[in-house]
Amino acid sequence: MGSEVSKQIQRRKAVSMEKQMLFDLNENCGETFPGCDYRPTDRKNWMASLGPKDLHINNIVWPGTHNSATDRIGIPCISRPFAQCQTLSVYQQLVLGTRVLDIRVNENNLVCHGILLTYNIGVVINDVKKFLFETTSEVIILEIRTEYGHRDPPEFEDYLEEKLGMYLIHQDDYVFGKTIAELLPKRIICVWKPRNSAQPKPGSPFWSAEYLKDNWIDTDLPSTKFDSNLKYLSDQAPVSSRNFFYRVENTVTAQPDNPVVCVRPVTGRIHGYARLFINRCFAEGCANRLQVFSTDFIGGDFVDACVGLTHARVHGEC
């Protein structure tokens, strides 16, 4: 019992120390970077505002959400705090400016996060289609994966093609060098990551797992995650010379050996440092590698930071 208490005290000290480290870094380095002052007047249509003819797919900084469809997961006030990573619906996230969605499904076509379940994948599809119907030039990366511990939904590719076929951009390495205008009216890059079925093949309406990569660091320590994100990003090739999307997630994850296991207070340790991260990317010389940037509980300022950097790239400011 005494050793466990001692362990918990040390864990809390480590968390507190790392929170202070990020706070101090932010105080000393600030949050400035090329495009940091830019604020889109219409987040719902920010790609259209920047110009479809000027926006190359590989040059966009894509604001994304982690566990995107968890706004209604589990039981309110009981299991939901342990799995909810977003409070907005998928449609509301897209209107806010989100352009990368992370969706986990089980064998029954239900969205899930671990063992906790929420609505049918059809809710997500309808939200995406509603958004695309209301806009003209916004492109979405829709990642759908079979959640760990579950089987693939049966005939899932057929289902997705039936529902989204008119919007699907087919798997092709040349897409990365194209502008949004060259891809229209197709507007969804759908990355399908099954666990049991074969990966989508070149030319397919779906993109395989190798086209959306990341280095997941499973920690609740914010400075550790921040530094690891910078390290792994620095290891990547510049966006102009790679034919895949690389994702950085501005999140930390609750750990079972820590008494604080609800998502919001844990991820809040790093949540406010997205602009600092971009600032440090420039300081470390890896800003030209940043592409997909995701977060829990997305807000307008996170979107603005990504759009601002994209605006700077379009106008040759970085």
Side-chain angles (χ1 to χ4, degrees):
M1 180 66 178
S3 62
E4 184 61 30
V5 171
S6 177
K7 180 181 178 181
Q8 293 301 323
I9 292 173
Q10 293 304 313
R11 291 285 288 120
R12 297 190 71 167
K13 284 183 178 179
V15 168
S16 179
M17 181 183 68
E18 293 216 2
K19 287 170 65 177
Q20 187 64 46
M21 289 169 64
L22 275 188
F23 178 85
D24 291 344
L25 186 65
N26 194 61
E27 288 290 298
N28 293 329
C29 299
E31 301 178 338
T32 59
F33 53 86
C36 64
D37 294 328
Y38 180 82
R39 305 280 174 173
T41 56
D42 180 7
R43 293 191 184 112
K44 184 177 181 179
N45 292 284
W46 68 262
M47 289 182 166
S49 299
L50 293 183
K53 293 182 180 179
D54 298 319
L55 275 180
H56 287 80
I57 293 299
N58 61 2
N59 211 29
I60 297 168
V61 181
W62 302 74
T65 50
H66 168 241
N67 267 305
S68 306
T70 54
D71 53 302
R72 288 189 274 154
I73 200 162
I75 303 171
C77 301
I78 299 177
S79 58
R80 183 169 297 173
F82 303 104
Q84 185 185 52
C85 299
Q86 309 296 331
T87 54
L88 301 177
S89 70
V90 165
Y91 172 74
Q92 290 170 328
Q93 291 172 43
L94 293 170
V95 169
L96 184 66
T98 300
R99 294 295 177 266
V100 182
L101 299 171
D102 160 24
I103 310 296
R104 326 290 180 86
V105 294
N106 71 3
E107 55 274 16
N108 298 315
N109 280 358
L110 295 177
V111 176
C112 54
H113 183 186
I115 63 172
L116 295 181
L117 307 176
T118 182
Y119 37 70
N120 189 279
I121 186 63
V123 174
V124 174
I125 300 302
N126 289 339
D127 275 5
V128 168
K129 292 174 72 173
K130 179 182 179 182
F131 173 76
L132 293 178
F133 179 78
E134 294 174 354
T135 57
T136 59
S137 304
E138 306 305 301
V139 173
I140 299 168
I141 300 174
L142 174 62
E143 178 197 29
I144 307 179
R145 71 178 87 174
T146 302
E147 179 67 303
Y148 179 78
H150 293 279
R151 300 186 306 276
D152 299 335
E155 300 177 351
F156 196 59
E157 287 190 20
D158 292 340
Y159 168 79
L160 290 176
E161 190 165 9
E162 176 189 348
K163 298 295 183 182
L164 298 173
M166 65 182 290
Y167 296 111
L168 295 174
I169 298 167
H170 286 221
Q171 183 185 146
D172 184 343
D173 285 359
Y174 289 106
V175 164
F176 291 92
K178 291 185 176 181
T179 64
I180 286 178
E182 291 175 304
L183 297 176
L184 296 175
K186 305 295 186 179
R187 297 168 60 195
I188 300 176
I189 296 172
C190 185
V191 181
W192 164 228
K193 298 181 176 180
R195 288 200 173 272
N196 314 117
S197 311
Q199 289 284 324
K201 297 180 179 179
S204 162
F206 308 101
W207 296 65
S208 60
E210 66 185 19
Y211 285 102
L212 179 54
K213 301 179 182 180
D214 54 39
N215 290 97
W216 177 249
I217 304 104
D218 187 15
T219 181
D220 63 354
L221 298 174
S223 185
T224 295
K225 181 64 176 286
F226 189 97
D227 292 343
S228 296
N229 280 342
L230 274 175
K231 175 189 177 299
Y232 284 117
L233 181 64
S234 297
D235 291 341
Q236 306 306 311
V239 296
S240 60
S241 60
R242 67 174 189 245
N243 292 329
F244 62 89
F245 297 102
Y246 183 78
R247 173 170 51 202
V248 174
E249 294 195 306
N250 189 57
T251 63
V252 287
T253 310
Q255 300 297 307
D257 64 345
N258 193 298
V260 182
V261 292
C262 294
V263 174
R264 186 180 284 276
V266 173
T267 201
R269 298 167 187 165
I270 198 173
H271 187 267
Y273 295 110
R275 288 180 176 269
L276 173 65
F277 184 80
I278 299 175
N279 170 282
R280 301 324 296 157
C281 285
F282 279 95
E284 299 292 333
C286 60
N288 63 345
R289 294 153 170 76
L290 186 60
Q291 193 171 45
V292 176
F293 199 24
S294 293
T295 189
D296 291 325
F297 304 108
I298 195 166
D301 188 68
F302 184 90
V303 171
D304 292 351
C306 296
V307 177
L309 181 51
T310 303
H311 179 270
R313 287 179 174 178
V314 169
H315 291 273
E317 297 171 10
C318 60

